Amino acid sequence: ILLIYTSYCEKTHRPTRRDLVYSPLDADAVRWIVRKRVKSLGIDVPSIDINGDHTFPAHFAARQNGLIHMKNLIHMRPLVNKRFQFIGIPLKIVGGSGSPIRAVAVVEDEDCVRNSEGENDDLLVAIKHSEEK
């Protein structure tokens, strides 16, 4: 799995659709990611495609190559340069081509996931406590 953190959430604070300015991927970038044997891609922006491009080239490149992608991941900053297990739990939607997910980061270090107020924000975090020997 490849998770891409662009700091979009911290910069924008969830703007309206007409205000969206973010760093998308293009179809070539998606194909490069697939060549690196990545099976799942997560990113913190609203789409892997350019806002307003209704041909969705990155989406189609992902679909053609079997690359699952998750977008709008938020509050990823505390996880940068940390080791963690990522779990994306989707809804079961019959006949659907996508689903909202509950994103979970399983970490070993409780301090790496706290914000300045000492809370976890919207990121669901499971803390794996190592057993002392």
Side-chain angles (χ1 to χ4, degrees), residues 101-129:
I101 66 166
R102 172 56 98 176
V104 180
V106 179
V107 299
E108 299 216 9
D109 180 7
E110 185 172 355
D111 292 333
C112 87
V113 295
R114 300 291 177 196
N115 67 19
S116 59
E117 289 80 38
E119 298 178 6
N120 285 338
D121 290 325
D122 294 335
L123 177 70
L124 181 62
V125 177
I127 301 166
K128 179 181 175 184
H129 295 282

Side-chain angles (χ1 to χ4, degrees), residues 18-33:
R18 67 182 176 281
D19 297 326
L20 294 179
V21 177
Y22 54 87
S23 301
L25 301 175
D26 63 14
D28 289 335
V30 170
R31 287 188 282 274
W32 181 87
I33 289 167

